[in-house]
Amino acid sequence: MRSILTILTCMILHATSYSQHQLSLKIVDADNSKPLPGANIQLNEEINISDLDGNVMFRRVSSGDYSLQVSYIGYETFEQALSISTDTELEVKLKSAAFMTDEVIVSATRASEGTPMTFTNVNKEKIEAQNFGQDLPFILNYTPSLVATSDAGAGIGYTGLRIRGSDATRVNVTINGVPLNDSESQGVFWVNIPDIASSSESIQIQRGVGTSTNGAGAFGGSVNLQTNTRKAEPYADVINSFGSFNTRRHTVGFGTGMFKEKWSFDGRLSKIASDGYIDRATSDLESYYFSGGYYGDKTMVKAIVFGGAERTYQSWYGTPEAVIENDAEGIEAVIANNGLNEIQAENMRNSGRTFNWYLYDNQVDDYQQDHYQLHVSQELNDRMIANLSGHYTYGRGFFEQFRYDDDFEDYGLPNVIISNDTIESTDLVRRRWLDNHFYGITYSLNYQADKLDLVIGGAANRYDGDHFGELIWAEFATNFNIEDRYYFSNGIKEDFNTFIKANYQINDKLSAFIDLQYRNIDYKSEGLDNDLQRIDINADFDFFNPKLGVYYNISATDVLYASFAVANREPVRSDFIDSPIEPKSERLNNLEVGYKKRKRNAQYGVNFYYMDYKDQLILTGELNDVGASVRTNVSDSYRAGIELEGGIQLSKKITWQANLTLSQNKIQEFDEILYDYGSSFDEFNIINNRYSDTDIAFSPNVIAGSQLTFNPIKNAELTLLTKYVGDQFLDNTSNNDRKIDAYFVNDLRLGYSIKSSYFKELRVSLLINNLFDELYASNGYSFGYFGGQDFEVRENYYYPQATRNFLATLSLRF
């Protein structure tokens, strides 16, 4: 494995060029010949930007045919085929757009080519190539420093991602600039918006703090989605996918194109279902997307409605390590330690690595989420554009559980007396509900001058969420009615931020970036939690998040950048509820330094990052008074690493893109807390183990991705997709007995398309996942306790990922 990574690194850093000529471009306004600085120029796969005088140069360009594309906000995109056989000079005249463009919606929250931040753009072509119906984390799996995981093992249902080791609660996600993270848990549940990839025009992944954005602070990265933009011509899509584990996906989409030169409408309906790799881990998902837009010469108004309904059989509990290893003695220990009944025990003994704890037919998560967005953009003059967006999200649903032998007192109910017998517990079925509303506005004012790009923006959002539980059945009746609530709490969270950011072109080589954000959070919650403990939260936070950076064009092909950013983040709901002391907010100081090189046949970059945390919240093993896990602040921890990424055109038919992250992720000092319940389990003693310089859980020191593409004939593609993820510890003790082993997985993607006068495109695609049948897990957890001096329990649980499997797609576009 080490030799593979060495070769990978060397190939990324080595690029051979066969260039011979020089292409010089000058980008100007078609009406007054005024130079346009900062225009985006793409020559085949190579990207560059124009300087203060509108000039850009591509050196060492080989003889041949090229596709040139030039874009600039407020202007029509220029496209031209070029045949180069000698040094070439060309003046490109851009015409003012006759209508506003969709890009203005996300321009305030995204990094541009000259922004000194670390980011990766994924365009629609790449999204479509990898979209076989799996959730978005699996479509983004091969981008730098990202690890995707799936509870059901097959990429459909409950999935998640980590960036630089940071989990979903620390990754800020927006759709068209509107926050997607849950306001209280700060997590992102992709299962609630299935097939959102089919309605995504582009995705930008920022690593580290990134630029100012709306919603929770980014403590590992940001994922910024832009939904479908207007199309010039009408279209219709019919997409069907089938695959292993009875997976099927059906998508129908349409667009009117531009009609009456001002209007455009798009829509999509999707249904995705899968049995999952894990036993009974079924998913039944439905989603929709509709948009309508008016595009005037100075005004754009766009309404968007999207959402989904999911019914997913729970596979949250994971698989015990003893079951995965087929350790009969260990399995019996797990059965005894967890007090399983005979039905549960037989299930564990006979299931293997696809084991699922749950057996009840309706052990499901059932949830629907609907999103409404209205975006208005107005050009005030030739330098200034104002944007205002309103949004509303309504989410509601429950997860249902069958419970063996629960005590009545856990539900605030009296014991049942039958004859002279007192019954203190019963089998029962319960539902835990969420019913929430999230709404607000985002705004920005974009000003663009010769040397200055200025954005003033922000957001004001409000969350109103109810949490409550119901009992819908019990073996032994007591004084409750079906759907009586045994707990209820309400949370109100108001989140306001405002920012000003500017990029100033000091000279034709150097630009400076500044971004100043103020954020205020007011969070209140009261009522009873599901363990019947009283909730009374009243927290208020004021954060100042500055960011500074410089971007230096060493030459037309070489770029150097550096930035320093600060982010602050409030604790999540469970931190307030479970912690015996009030949790403190977290702070992150983030340094990024990078270098990029662009050539005719290759481009590569290297980025160094240092993320220094103050008061990071981590699990230490501590429990609250009812046994729930508690996160506590640790004073000092950090992440430091080097990210390498690049691409090379090895021949006319072979291209290779790859990335490699090498990192250290450390906690300076923390106390692991375990409980000793005594040999008779009637005591409560605390055992404190102090650790220094340990690895942060779920933070692999090595992450690598590769996409090797071969185009044997026109319209045919064969791509080998490779992912390596190093060891990940399940807790923060760096104990090798509690870790996820490194894995090296290869997928194979094949595609062929046909164009005809009867349709625009017919495409057949095949994705073979885990080509070499690797047995691996991508996520897990661990816990432990003592039962007297001679009895220690340490249990590891994993989420096994699917063995070799396939997905096939047939798509037809009219």
Side-chain angles (χ1 to χ4, degrees), residues 21 75 198 274 310 436 444 464 489 497 588 641 666 684 687 691 751 758 782:
H21 310 300
Y75 289 80
S198 292
S274 177
E310 58 94 2
N436 47 62
S444 68
D464 185 344
S489 67
N497 81 79
L588 169 60
K666 296 290 186 178
F684 188 79
I687 297 175
Y691 292 86
Y758 300 103
S782 180

Side-chain angles (χ1 to χ4, degrees), residues 13 16 40 66 98 138 141 174 186 228 292 312 339 467 500 586 616 637 639 661 688:
L13 295 176
T16 303
N40 289 295
Y66 293 86
F138 280 74
N141 186 42
T174 58
Q186 298 187 29
N228 286 341
T312 307
H467 305 253
I500 179 170
E586 304 169 283
Q616 184 178 187
S637 54
R639 301 181 187 276
T661 301
N688 192 312

Side-chain angles (χ1 to χ4, degrees), residues 400-464:
E400 185 168 315
Q401 294 180 306
F402 182 92
R403 302 282 298 178
Y404 291 101
D405 203 30
D406 269 8
D407 292 338
F408 285 116
E409 68 176 355
D410 291 342
Y411 301 89
L413 298 172
N415 295 330
V416 173
I417 299 176
I418 300 177
S419 297
N420 293 323
D421 296 327
T422 299
I423 299 173
E424 299 180 349
S425 61
T426 182
D427 294 347
L428 54 83
V429 177
R430 70 187 185 191
R431 287 180 175 175
R432 291 185 176 178
W433 283 83
L434 289 175
D435 192 308
N436 47 62
H437 307 265
F438 178 63
Y439 51 91
I441 61 170
T442 66
Y443 56 91
S444 68
L445 182 66
N446 301 36
Y447 175 80
Q448 191 172 64
D450 293 341
K451 297 183 178 182
L452 176 67
D453 284 342
L454 176 69
V455 180
I456 300 172
N461 302 307
R462 190 175 194 269
Y463 169 90
D464 185 344

Side-chain angles (χ1 to χ4, degrees), residues 47-300:
I47 300 173
N48 213 327
I49 59 173
S50 58
D51 62 18
L52 280 174
D53 297 317
N55 296 319
V56 66
M57 183 177 295
F58 293 88
R59 304 179 188 274
R60 300 177 182 177
V61 180
S62 301
S63 297
D65 296 327
Y66 293 86
S67 173
L68 175 67
Q69 183 182 91
V70 183
S71 60
Y72 195 78
I73 290 180
Y75 289 80
E76 295 182 11
T77 298
F78 174 90
E79 294 181 344
Q80 181 176 318
L82 293 179
S83 182
I84 296 177
S85 58
T86 184
D87 289 351
T88 303
E89 294 185 4
L90 180 67
E91 184 177 70
V92 177
K93 297 182 178 181
L94 297 186
K95 297 178 181 179
S96 296
F99 42 78
M100 296 283 286
T101 61
D102 295 85
E103 283 71 23
V104 298
I105 295 174
V106 296
S107 62
T109 54
R110 282 197 170 180
S112 63
E113 186 65 26
T115 306
M117 299 291 179
T118 312
F119 63 92
T120 299
N121 290 326
V122 183
N123 61 28
K124 194 170 187 66
E125 181 181 5
K126 293 180 180 179
I127 296 170
E128 289 179 342
Q130 192 62 20
N131 185 9
F132 288 78
Q134 294 175 301
D135 288 354
L136 196 67
F138 280 74
I139 295 173
L140 303 178
N141 186 42
Y142 300 97
T143 57
S145 301
L146 190 145
V147 176
T149 186
S150 167
D151 285 8
I156 296 173
Y158 269 85
T159 61
L161 59 81
R162 289 188 172 92
I163 297 177
R164 292 181 177 174
S166 297
D167 64 44
T169 67
R170 298 165 185 270
V171 176
N172 177 279
V173 181
T174 58
I175 298 181
N176 301 322
V178 175
L180 184 65
N181 298 66
D182 178 77
S183 294
E184 292 189 294
S185 73
Q186 298 187 29
V188 174
F189 305 97
W190 298 104
V191 70
N192 294 333
I193 48 171
D195 207 23
I196 189 62
S198 292
S199 297
S200 296
E201 186 72 23
S202 65
I203 301 170
Q204 183 174 93
I205 304 167
Q206 298 179 12
R207 302 188 293 281
V209 172
T211 59
S212 281
T213 189
N214 303 313
F219 260 58
S222 301
V223 178
N224 182 311
L225 284 79
Q226 180 184 16
T227 57
N228 286 341
T229 58
R230 61 162 191 89
K231 303 295 185 294
E233 300 295 330
Y235 70 90
D237 295 326
V238 179
I239 305 172
N240 291 285
S241 299
F242 301 91
S244 303
F245 319 119
N246 198 26
T247 300
R248 57 268 187 213
R249 166 210 179 193
H250 310 289
T251 299
V252 177
F254 73 90
T256 63
M258 295 293 290
F259 69 94
K260 295 187 177 180
E261 299 181 352
K262 299 289 185 182
W263 299 89
S264 179
F265 295 89
D266 295 85
R268 173 187 56 80
L269 295 172
S270 299
K271 184 172 179 60
I272 301 172
S274 177
D275 290 346
Y277 171 67
I278 300 300
D279 296 341
R280 297 175 296 283
T282 58
S283 297
D284 187 1
L285 316 175
E286 297 177 351
S287 76
Y288 65 92
Y289 172 91
F290 296 100
S291 68
Y294 168 80
Y295 299 85
D297 54 351
K298 295 182 181 296
T299 305
M300 185 190 75

Side-chain angles (χ1 to χ4, degrees), residues 415-552:
N415 295 330
V416 173
I417 299 176
I418 300 177
S419 297
N420 293 323
D421 296 327
T422 299
I423 299 173
E424 299 180 349
S425 61
T426 182
D427 294 347
L428 54 83
V429 177
R430 70 187 185 191
R431 287 180 175 175
R432 291 185 176 178
W433 283 83
L434 289 175
D435 192 308
N436 47 62
H437 307 265
F438 178 63
Y439 51 91
I441 61 170
T442 66
Y443 56 91
S444 68
L445 182 66
N446 301 36
Y447 175 80
Q448 191 172 64
D450 293 341
K451 297 183 178 182
L452 176 67
D453 284 342
L454 176 69
V455 180
I456 300 172
N461 302 307
R462 190 175 194 269
Y463 169 90
D464 185 344
D466 292 339
H467 305 253
F468 57 92
E470 301 173 344
L471 296 180
I472 64 172
W473 176 85
E475 181 181 7
F476 294 102
T478 183
N479 60 339
F480 77 86
N481 296 312
I482 292 176
E483 298 183 355
D484 277 357
R485 296 179 180 180
Y486 66 93
Y487 75 89
F488 176 88
S489 67
N490 173 260
I492 301 289
K493 187 173 185 178
E494 295 178 341
D495 186 337
F496 169 79
N497 81 79
T498 187
F499 64 85
I500 179 170
K501 64 180 179 180
N503 201 323
Y504 183 74
Q505 195 78 36
I506 298 172
N507 54 45
D508 60 349
K509 290 184 176 292
L510 181 65
S511 64
F513 175 83
I514 186 170
D515 182 336
L516 306 175
Q517 183 198 51
Y518 165 74
R519 182 168 177 245
N520 172 262
I521 302 101
D522 181 47
Y523 178 49
K524 296 180 175 63
S525 185
E526 60 181 5
L528 285 181
D529 196 19
N530 58 65
D531 54 18
L532 304 189
Q533 299 300 299
R534 175 61 59 181
I535 298 173
D536 187 10
I537 303 169
N538 190 349
D540 187 80
F541 298 92
D542 290 283
F543 296 139
F544 175 60
N545 301 315
K547 307 169 184 70
L548 304 167
V550 292
Y551 192 91
Y552 183 67

Side-chain angles (χ1 to χ4, degrees), residues 631-652:
R631 294 199 312 173
T632 53
N633 297 100
V634 292
S635 57
D636 293 298
S637 54
Y638 71 88
R639 301 181 187 276
I642 296 175
E643 295 167 322
L644 306 171
E645 60 177 316
I648 182 170
Q649 184 84 34
L650 297 172
S651 71
K652 288 185 177 180

